[in-house]
Amino acid sequence: MLNDCRQLVIPLINEVFGENYTGDEQVVFFPNEHYLNQQDSEEDKRVTDGNFSIIGAKSRKYLPECQTSPDASRFHA
């Protein structure tokens, strides 16, 4: 979603994290697909959280997390 709506990344970060980016900064995305080599089985593809930096007068790296499918890693009441 972040890659499809790049123009909204800076306004979103400003709103969620209370930042004051102007929109002139550079947004650099890093890979979020990783391949796990497992002994005696096929390679497993994992897509992780978003991973990007906003580079400008101040630069920060962001790793927003969004659970998109149910799994056993969360406690459900």
Side-chain angles (χ1 to χ4, degrees):
M1 188 164 99
L2 290 172
N3 285 318
D4 292 340
C5 301
R6 289 176 180 249
Q7 72 276 14
L8 299 177
V9 170
I10 289 177
L12 176 70
I13 295 298
N14 282 342
E15 182 68 27
V16 172
F17 294 102
E19 298 289 359
N20 295 309
Y21 293 112
T22 64
D24 294 329
E25 297 81 5
Q26 179 183 13
V27 179
V28 178
F29 288 92
F30 300 103
N32 68 340
E33 294 178 352
H34 305 280
Y35 294 90
L36 305 172
N37 292 321
Q38 301 178 13
Q39 191 174 24
D40 299 327
S41 71
E42 292 184 23
E43 191 173 66
D44 187 23
K45 179 180 174 181
R46 296 278 170 91
V47 178
T48 60
D49 304 324
N51 183 6
F52 61 90
S53 289
I54 297 178
I55 301 170
K58 70 175 181 178
S59 298
R60 289 205 174 150
K61 189 170 190 173
Y62 294 90
L63 219 71
E65 180 178 340
C66 181
Q67 183 89 14
T68 58
S69 60
D71 63 28
S73 68
R74 302 270 190 223
F75 173 78
H76 295 94

